[in-house]
Amino acid sequence: MEIVQVILQVILGITSLLLTLLILLHRGRGGGLSDMFGGGVTSNLGSSGVAERNLNRFTVILGIVWITSIVFLGLITKFDAGL
């Protein structure tokens, strides 16, 4: 069971970094913290509707993997402590 826990921890670490990167790549909607860090400057990177939709899909899928790995790590920790 220890190998599964290590694999889930590695997955959690990788997905955490990728999720942070993908969230920072999203285009700011205005009026938030994104304007504070140069959100008023338009860029061509997020201007495509298809690219933004794909970025949203990848972010949601990675978020689901991230939450799932947290739940499984919690369950493994809970049931290993009882043995």
Side-chain angles (χ1 to χ4, degrees):
M1 202 57 120
E2 197 170 306
I3 190 78
V4 174
Q5 191 172 5
V6 170
I7 290 172
L8 283 174
Q9 287 174 348
V10 169
I11 290 173
L12 182 65
I14 291 171
T15 56
S16 296
L17 292 174
L18 288 175
L19 199 57
T20 304
L21 177 70
L22 288 178
I23 289 172
L24 289 175
L25 283 176
H26 276 85
R27 184 173 33 182
R29 301 284 183 230
L33 284 176
S34 62
D35 285 342
M36 186 185 302
F37 299 110
V41 179
T42 60
S43 76
N44 292 331
L45 181 64
S47 63
S48 173
V50 174
E52 188 72 23
R53 278 193 303 251
N54 286 336
L55 187 60
N56 287 340
R57 288 181 189 139
F58 291 143
T59 306
V60 168
I61 290 170
L62 232 90
I64 290 170
V65 170
W66 184 75
I67 290 172
T68 305
S69 64
I70 288 175
V71 169
F72 282 136
L73 271 172
L75 289 173
I76 289 173
T77 303
K78 178 181 178 180
F79 290 120
D80 274 352
L83 294 177

